[in-house]
Amino acid sequence: MREHGLDRRAQKDRRETFVAGAKPEPIEEIQHVERNGSLSMTRNSGFCRLRCQAADQAMFGVACSLFLLTATPTWVYAQSYCAGYGCDSSECASAHARNCTCKSCSRGTLFLWSRVPNVRGGPDLCAPLVTDRPDFTEASSTVGLGVAQWEVGYTYTFDDDGATSAKSHSYPEPLLRYGILADWLEMRVGWNYSDEEVGGVAADGSEDLYLGFKIGLTPQDGILPEMALIPQMTVPTGDDAFSADEVLPGLNWIYGWEVNDFVSTAGSTQFNRAIDEGTGDAFTEWAQSWTFGYSLTDKIGAYTEYFGLYPTSADTTVPEHYFNGGFTYLVCDDVQWDIRAGTGLNDAADDYFVGTGLSLRFK
């Protein structure tokens, strides 16, 4: 279940219908030392220091020539590339040698804070991937130009209002994120399939297609947050029981802070057009969330979060409040596994939900 606000509400409404959503590390120093002590070579960020300790000058000359032939073009290219961006050449050379993009060599966001224009942000491909799942609050950064990120998952949801019980299986919850035109812009395409049973009545089918763009607005600078904006919509492509039968546009504003190496925090404020399942009339639904992330180890993370859905001018739809949390495990820099669980905080909300997912980055 992709929780874009509309998805959580639409799934709940369908049940009611049956009854009546840092800078990159420098290049590691490369060393080669022959056991007989004849030659010692070191290189750091394209800079080489050669030290001849033996009398065999011919061997030394050959080794130096081969080394400089391979090291010099990379260093010259990095110097030229970085000069165009006005960034630190040694950091940039390190990033290119690791087949990624350093933050100082890319604007990263559409805007920069005026008081500190040299502070840059946006995607850091030298660091582990940043995902939109498993929490309700989307990431405040984009994936980067030419980078694709594929996020999938499964969610089981249960609700019992005392008269009837409802359960649903949501899968595969795919979200494709792809960086286009610049590091600060990504295209987003999502889809889902639901299998629901309410009071003994079962239904399953495809949900409406989700489309959007994420725009990286600003980097973080102290108390000034990293921010992003997502214009989004669902289009009526789903099966009859799972489609709104019209385009439902919305806008999502995300803001986040890295507090320290252990804690980060973020929130999102969004509004979306929604359909009242009781009357079929359209209304505006606001959604608010706040999350805290915790880096427990280099590979294990955790989060806790509140999110709520607030209908405006709806005939029968009422607010829903949730609390959830989960864990993430970084398999490698480009692969992350997650698990989560949540509970409703009021009668209108689902009783509980549990889920798991996987995210992969291709760069």
Side-chain angles (χ1 to χ4, degrees):
M1 172 178 53
R2 282 304 306 171
E3 292 181 329
H4 297 291
L6 266 178
D7 291 353
R8 161 69 64 174
R9 170 70 70 190
Q11 196 170 64
K12 179 72 174 178
D13 288 342
R14 284 196 301 270
R15 296 183 199 135
E16 295 173 352
T17 301
F18 290 149
V19 175
K23 292 185 178 180
E25 294 295 328
I27 289 180
E28 294 183 1
E29 188 174 57
I30 300 173
Q31 295 185 336
H32 170 72
V33 181
E34 293 191 2
R35 293 191 180 277
N36 62 10
S38 62
L39 179 65
S40 177
M41 299 172 60
T42 63
R43 179 180 70 176
N44 192 347
S45 299
F47 174 77
C48 64
R49 184 175 66 255
L50 303 176
R51 186 170 65 251
C52 186
Q53 297 177 336
D56 192 348
Q57 297 299 323
M59 181 181 295
F60 174 77
V62 171
C64 286
S65 299
L66 291 174
F67 181 77
L68 291 174
L69 282 173
T70 57
T72 302
T74 300
W75 175 245
V76 170
Y77 169 75
Q79 288 271 28
S80 175
Y81 178 89
C82 295
Y85 284 93
C87 61
D88 181 78
S89 58
S90 62
E91 179 186 343
C92 193
S94 171
H96 275 275
R98 296 167 61 189
N99 192 31
C100 56
T101 301
C102 64
K103 279 192 175 183
S104 70
C105 293
S106 171
R107 186 182 181 108
T109 54
L110 181 58
F111 303 111
L112 300 174
W113 292 110
S114 60
R115 74 171 193 175
V116 277
N118 292 328
V119 174
R120 296 174 181 267
D124 186 354
L125 302 186
C126 298
L129 78 171
V130 178
T131 65
D132 278 351
R133 59 172 306 116
D135 55 359
F136 183 92
T137 309
E138 313 283 23
S140 54
S141 62
T142 51
V143 294
L145 178 61
V147 176
Q149 195 156 299
W150 184 247
E151 305 181 10
V152 296
Y154 163 81
T155 302
Y156 172 79
T157 304
F158 179 82
D159 186 41
D160 190 337
D161 62 6
T164 58
S165 63
K167 58 183 179 181
S168 71
H169 304 271
S170 171
Y171 55 89
E173 303 177 353
L175 176 66
L176 173 63
R177 306 168 59 193
Y178 185 73
I180 59 173
L181 302 180
D183 279 336
W184 49 263
L185 181 63
E186 75 175 39
M187 176 183 66
R188 302 161 60 80
V189 180
W191 173 82
N192 194 34
Y193 188 90
S194 288
D195 184 349
E196 302 181 354
E197 182 179 331
V198 182
V201 179
D204 64 272
S206 173
E207 297 181 0
D208 286 345
L209 186 68
Y210 166 84
L211 301 173
F213 291 92
K214 182 186 286 187
I215 304 167
L217 294 179
T218 62
Q220 180 187 348
D221 174 43
I223 63 172
L224 300 175
E226 179 179 68
M227 296 192 299
L229 197 65
I230 305 178
Q232 59 189 14
M233 64 179 176
T234 60
V235 294
T237 59
D239 292 334
D240 289 343
F242 297 88
S243 177
D245 295 323
E246 66 175 85
V247 174
L248 300 176
L251 189 66
N252 189 0
W253 174 40
I254 309 115
Y255 32 90
W257 296 262
E258 293 285 342
V259 180
N260 53 44
D261 290 340
F262 176 66
V263 177
S264 62
T265 187
S268 69
T269 304
Q270 61 177 297
F271 62 89
N272 301 283
R273 181 179 172 88
I275 301 297
D276 192 307
E277 291 294 332
T279 63
D281 294 332
F283 66 94
T284 299
E285 180 171 73
W286 291 81
Q288 179 63 51
S289 69
W290 201 276
T291 184
F292 287 90
Y294 316 96
S295 297
L296 304 181
T297 70
D298 288 342
K299 289 186 173 293
I300 300 175
Y303 80 92
T304 53
E305 178 189 51
Y306 161 82
F307 69 91
L309 308 176
Y310 305 90
T312 301
S313 302
D315 297 317
T316 63
T317 305
V318 296
E320 298 178 24
H321 305 276
Y322 294 90
F323 177 82
N324 72 114
F327 295 91
T328 60
Y329 177 74
L330 192 67
V331 180
C332 65
D333 279 358
D334 298 316
V335 180
Q336 178 180 281
W337 172 76
D338 64 70
I339 188 171
R340 62 174 181 154
T343 183
L345 300 178
N346 64 335
D347 291 339
D350 294 321
D351 289 347
Y352 68 86
F353 60 89
V354 294
T356 186
L358 188 70
S359 300
L360 306 112
R361 180 174 64 179
F362 305 91
K363 57 184 181 179

